[in-house]
Amino acid sequence: QVQLVESGGGLVQAGGSLRLSCVATGRTFSFYRMGWFRQAPGKEREFVTAITRNTGGTTYADSVKGRFTISRDNAKNTVYLQMNSLKPEDSAVYYCAAALLDTDYRYWGQGTQVTVSS
């Protein structure tokens, strides 16, 4: 079992940056694929980015490529989401998630709000 706690959300102006953090407790952090998802009001939760267990390979939704960067520090049991060039459409609650088996994200944080003003 894994407990996830996100932090770093807030209010920023368009074009600004934020760095989200997700701290994991429980089983060995490095065993998990870690992902970030987001959900805006009235919309479905969508995939943002993920980082693999071993080599740190990454994948991104097209909407954030070139602007967002995911990274992990296994020694700190932490995954990060660096968000640059933020747009109003990036506004959402951002969730950290962990998958032990493939992309079966079974563990989720409570979310952190990101609001980007025009």
Side-chain angles (χ1 to χ4, degrees):
Q1 299 288 94
V2 175
Q3 298 285 325
L4 305 173
V5 179
E6 305 97 332
S7 63
L11 174 64
V12 297
Q13 294 183 357
S17 298
L18 284 174
R19 189 179 76 159
L20 306 183
S21 298
C22 174
V23 179
T25 59
R27 294 209 271 176
T28 305
F29 178 72
S30 62
F31 286 176
Y32 292 85
R33 174 188 294 264
M34 301 299 299
W36 287 97
F37 296 75
R38 66 187 183 186
Q39 186 170 23
K43 297 185 178 180
E44 296 292 324
R45 185 174 297 182
E46 65 174 336
F47 170 80
V48 176
T49 181
I51 187 165
T52 61
R53 302 167 184 85
N54 302 311
T55 63
T58 59
T59 184
Y60 296 89
D62 288 342
S63 59
V64 305
K65 285 181 179 177
R67 300 188 298 119
F68 290 11
T69 303
I70 188 172
S71 61
R72 68 191 299 164
D73 187 338
N74 290 338
K76 296 182 178 180
N77 297 326
T78 302
V79 62
Y80 303 96
L81 180 62
Q82 178 66 47
M83 305 185 294
N84 298 326
S85 302
L86 283 162
K87 304 174 181 179
E89 52 263 44
D90 294 319
S91 297
V93 177
Y94 282 71
Y95 298 91
C96 178
L100 181 60
L101 301 175
D102 299 314
T103 58
D104 180 19
Y105 292 99
R106 299 179 63 183
Y107 309 102
W108 296 81
Q110 294 298 305
T112 185
Q113 177 70 51
V114 172
T115 303
V116 184
S117 62
S118 301

